[in-house]
């Protein structure tokens, strides 16, 4: 199948009102949080919307209350005096079918079922309730996300589904079959300069799965990069077509869970998904150009790289480090991650020979050049020579905190000033930093990396992460 996917205008319109709702009801809002059940509750979700400044109208639904947190409560969806743009259901599974019937009567199309306890349990009762829910959804033409999901997290609309994370708006969307991964990514992303347009946790995918949301995001002007975590998919052909279409204009970064036998078994119990054959997924990535990652950290690094760097279609890099033994390991890491470290020749080599003293240093790529790392003015000239080379696509500064190169505020300020100044006058080729902790604590390294990123410098917590991200970005643009 090679044709482009034609967007469903009704789907796009319905999801638009779900992502930017004016009237939201939360079903199952308790009057207080005394002895709350485990997991997310209707009261918590209701309060998060209010605390974050949701500007639409909120309706708490509780048949035993008339007021909750000074907001009028209603006994059911049927009693709400206007048509709802989104209904969030947090009551036990057995009560969900009646709420869906009430949604149909209200005219509410978008429904988020937060509740678990359906087919994913493997129990007869859960499967029977799911079958009944599926019939109501089809009959009422409802757009249901879930069950067993965290639904929609939309910073621009002040819709917060994940406690303890910032509402940071930006151009990255995340479609996740796992609510936990969605929460981790929304919490981890802002430290890398990543803000979110839409975050969608769709759980069991009873009515809508990842492809429905990809169809929307493909044309969403608020989204420039799309990240996906999935365990299974209903329509593989549709996913392939969408991935090809999206890739022409937006990077699609995919973490596919359940590629091993153990992971596949866990996927069945988590969201009742059939994970699929590893060979089929390798073919998917090869044929679509989607960017494959294997963790939230890798996904975040890749998204940061796409956001911060100009396109490169090859991954030929120069690495500047300090220490001959370390550079041997550097060469190995680059090779293992598929990054080319070509020898320096011609004008580039002559320029470096005139700049770097020959004592205890080497201009064989990877470059053993501690003098440049200690001297920002010299480093600027070295970077200029390297980025002018037609044989290189990027430069990586491999900085070990154990060598005290970035351990003081003064040295970090000099390094940041040099790199930032170079970027303003340079060729536009990426200059990135990889920080290695060695004997320093992870917290120290994280603080240094965060400070560098806050200064606008693309910084990774290891050389391997830097190489892996540069290779993925180069492969994406090369495929396109």
């Amino acid at each position: 199948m090679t044709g482009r996917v034609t967007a469903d205008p009704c789907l796009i319109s319905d999801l638009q009102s779900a992502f930017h709702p004016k009237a939201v009801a939360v079903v199952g809002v308790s009057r207080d949080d005394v002895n709350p059940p485990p997991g997310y509750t209707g009261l918590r979700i209701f309060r998060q919307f209010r605390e974050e400044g949701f500007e639409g109208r909120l309706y708490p639904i509780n048949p035993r209350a008339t007021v909750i947190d000074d907001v009028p409560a209603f006994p059911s969806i049927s009693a709400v005096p206007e048509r709802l743009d989104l209904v969030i259901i947090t009551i036990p599974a057995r009560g969900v079918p009646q709420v869906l019937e009430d949604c149909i009567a209200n005219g509410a199309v978008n429904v988020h079922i937060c509740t678990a306890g359906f087919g994913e349990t493997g129990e007869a009762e859960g499967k029977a309730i799911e079958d009944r829910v599926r019939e109501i959804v089809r009959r009422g033409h409802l757009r249901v996300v879930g069950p067993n999901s965290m639904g929609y997290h939309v910073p621009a609309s002040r819709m917060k589904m994940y406690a303890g994370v910032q509402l940071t708006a930006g151009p990255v969307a995340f479609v996740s079959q796992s609510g936990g991964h969605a929460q981790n990514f929304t919490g981890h992303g802002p430290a890398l300069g990543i803000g979110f347009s839409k975050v969608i946790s769709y759980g069991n995918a009873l009515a809508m799965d990842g492809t429905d949301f990809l169809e929307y995001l493909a044309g969403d002007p608020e989204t420039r990069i799309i990240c996906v975590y999935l365990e299974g998919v209903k329509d593989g052909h549709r996913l392939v077509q969408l991935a090809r279409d999206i890739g022409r204009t937006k990077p699609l970064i995919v973490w596919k869970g359940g590629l091993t036998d153990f992971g596949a078994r866990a996927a069945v119990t988590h969201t009742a998904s059939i994970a699929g054959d590893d060979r089929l997924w390798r073919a998917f990535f090869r044929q679509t150009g989607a960017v494959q990652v294997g963790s939230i950290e890798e996904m975040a690094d890749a998204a940061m790289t796409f956001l911060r760097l100009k396109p490169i279609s090859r991954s030929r890099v120069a690495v500047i480090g300090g220490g001959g033994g370390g550079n041997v390991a550097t060469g190995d890491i680059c090779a293992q991650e598929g990054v080319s470290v070509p020898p320096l020749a011609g004008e580039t080599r002559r320029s470096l020979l005139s700049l770097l003293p020959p004592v205890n240093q080497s201009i064989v790529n990877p470059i053993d050049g501690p003098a440049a790392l200690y001297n920002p003015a010299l480093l600027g000239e070295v970077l200029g020579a390297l980025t002018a080379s037609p044989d290189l696509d990027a430069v990586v500064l491999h900085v070990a905190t154990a060598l005290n190169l970035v351990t003081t505020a003064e040295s970090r300020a000099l390094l940041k000033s040099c790199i930032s100044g170079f970027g303003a006058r340079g060729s536009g080729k990426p200059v990135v930093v990889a920080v290695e902790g060695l004997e320093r604590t992870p917290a120290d390294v994280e603080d240094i990396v965060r400070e560098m990123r806050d200064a606008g410098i693309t910084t990774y917590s290891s050389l391997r992460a830097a190489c892996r991200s540069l290779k993925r970005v180069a492969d994406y643009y090369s495929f396109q």
Side-chain angles (χ1 to χ4, degrees):
M1 300 177 69
T2 59
R4 299 183 69 120
V5 174
T6 301
D8 178 354
C10 293
L11 173 70
I12 303 304
S13 176
D14 290 342
L15 287 180
Q16 180 71 5
S17 63
F19 293 133
H20 302 286
K22 296 178 181 178
V24 176
V26 183
V27 181
V29 181
S30 58
R31 286 167 287 188
D32 55 53
D33 54 4
V34 177
N35 298 319
Y40 269 67
T41 66
L43 181 61
R44 179 186 294 185
I45 292 173
F46 174 71
R47 285 177 172 173
Q48 284 179 174
F49 271 57
R50 296 192 73 201
E51 290 166 1
E52 294 299 332
F54 175 68
E55 295 182 354
R57 294 172 294 282
L58 272 174
Y59 295 96
I61 306 299
N62 183 330
R64 299 182 182 87
T66 56
V67 176
I68 299 176
D69 286 357
D70 299 323
V71 176
F74 293 82
S76 68
I77 293 295
S78 300
V80 174
E82 68 171 311
R83 180 175 177 175
L84 294 161
D85 297 309
L86 177 63
V87 175
I88 302 172
I89 302 176
T90 66
I91 62 173
R94 61 181 177 274
V96 170
Q98 182 56 55
V99 176
L100 294 178
E101 296 283 11
D102 292 344
C103 288
I104 295 173
N106 173 272
V109 173
N110 296 299
V111 183
H112 161 210
I113 304 177
C114 189
T115 310
F118 296 84
E120 82 281 357
T121 64
E123 302 295 329
E125 181 182 7
K127 292 180 179 179
I129 297 173
E130 182 170 303
D131 289 341
R132 187 179 171 195
V133 166
R134 184 176 287 108
E135 185 278 324
I136 297 170
V137 168
R138 288 175 177 170
R139 170 164 44 86
H141 304 288
L142 302 179
R143 304 290 190 185
V144 170
V145 57
N148 188 22
S149 77
M150 290 307 302
Y152 304 130
H153 178 93
V154 187
S157 296
R158 314 310 297 170
M159 295 168 60
K160 181 175 179 177
M161 295 303 297
Y162 308 109
V165 305
Q166 305 173 42
L167 273 182
T168 305
V172 177
F174 185 35
V175 180
S176 177
Q177 202 158 359
S178 162
H181 288 329
Q183 183 169 9
N184 289 342
F185 195 26
T186 55
H188 187 59
L192 284 74
I194 297 172
F196 296 96
S197 59
K198 319 281 187 309
V199 179
I200 303 149
S201 157
Y202 64 93
N204 291 18
L206 181 146
M208 293 192 294
D209 76 352
T211 55
D212 293 295
F213 301 110
L214 288 178
E215 184 176 322
Y216 176 90
L217 294 170
D220 179 24
E222 298 174 351
T223 300
R224 284 172 38 208
I225 297 169
I226 302 174
C227 299
V228 178
Y229 170 78
L230 55 82
E231 294 169 4
V233 64
K234 295 178 181 178
D235 188 340
H237 290 296
R238 187 182 183 209
L239 177 64
V240 169
Q241 286 183 305
L242 280 165
R244 286 173 173 162
D245 287 354
I246 290 169
R248 294 184 176 102
T249 57
K250 303 178 182 183
L252 178 64
I253 305 170
V254 179
W255 177 15
K256 172 63 181 72
L259 289 177
T260 66
D261 290 342
F262 294 113
R265 289 203 296 271
V268 172
T269 59
H270 179 211
T271 56
S273 293
I274 304 302
D277 191 316
D278 180 35
R279 292 170 297 177
L280 295 177
W281 285 101
R282 286 201 301 268
F284 164 78
F285 287 107
R286 186 173 61 251
Q287 293 172 15
T288 65
V291 179
Q292 183 176 14
V293 297
S295 69
I296 287 295
E297 291 74 20
E298 289 184 11
M299 180 175 285
D301 280 342
M304 175 184 70
T305 308
F306 276 110
L307 280 174
R308 289 177 177 262
L309 301 188
K310 294 179 180 179
I312 57 173
S313 58
R314 290 179 293 187
S315 53
R316 303 168 303 171
V317 305
V319 183
I320 307 175
N327 275 6
V328 173
T330 293
D332 288 341
I333 291 171
C334 291
Q336 290 162 6
E337 297 302 330
V339 170
S340 172
V341 188
L344 305 175
E347 183 61 33
T348 305
R349 180 176 176 81
R350 286 190 291 272
S351 296
L352 293 183
L353 283 171
S354 69
L355 293 170
L356 295 175
V359 179
N360 293 326
Q361 298 191 113
S362 170
I363 61 168
V364 175
N365 195 17
I367 301 165
D368 178 10
L373 293 175
Y374 280 108
N375 185 332
L378 177 58
L379 178 58
E381 294 186 72
V382 170
L383 292 177
L386 292 172
T387 56
S389 170
D391 300 320
L392 296 172
D393 304 297
V395 179
V396 180
L397 302 186
H398 187 200
V399 180
T401 60
L403 299 178
N404 295 318
L405 297 178
V406 292
T407 54
T408 68
E410 180 181 1
S411 62
R412 287 198 297 277
L414 290 172
L415 184 62
K416 290 185 289 186
S417 174
C418 170
I419 299 173
S420 300
F422 166 80
R425 67 175 185 269
S427 65
K429 291 181 182 177
V431 177
V432 305
V433 175
V435 176
E436 299 287 355
L438 298 183
E439 84 280 0
R440 295 182 65 82
T441 64
D444 289 337
V445 177
E446 288 176 7
D447 288 343
I448 292 168
V449 170
R450 186 179 301 110
E451 183 181 334
M452 300 288 281
R453 287 171 177 161
D454 288 345
I457 298 168
T458 305
T459 306
Y460 304 88
S461 56
S462 71
L463 176 65
R464 192 175 297 278
C467 290
R468 195 167 286 178
S469 298
L470 289 171
K471 180 70 165 71
R472 285 168 172 153
V473 170
D475 285 350
Y476 166 79
Y477 287 112
S478 176
F479 183 90
Q480 298 310 317

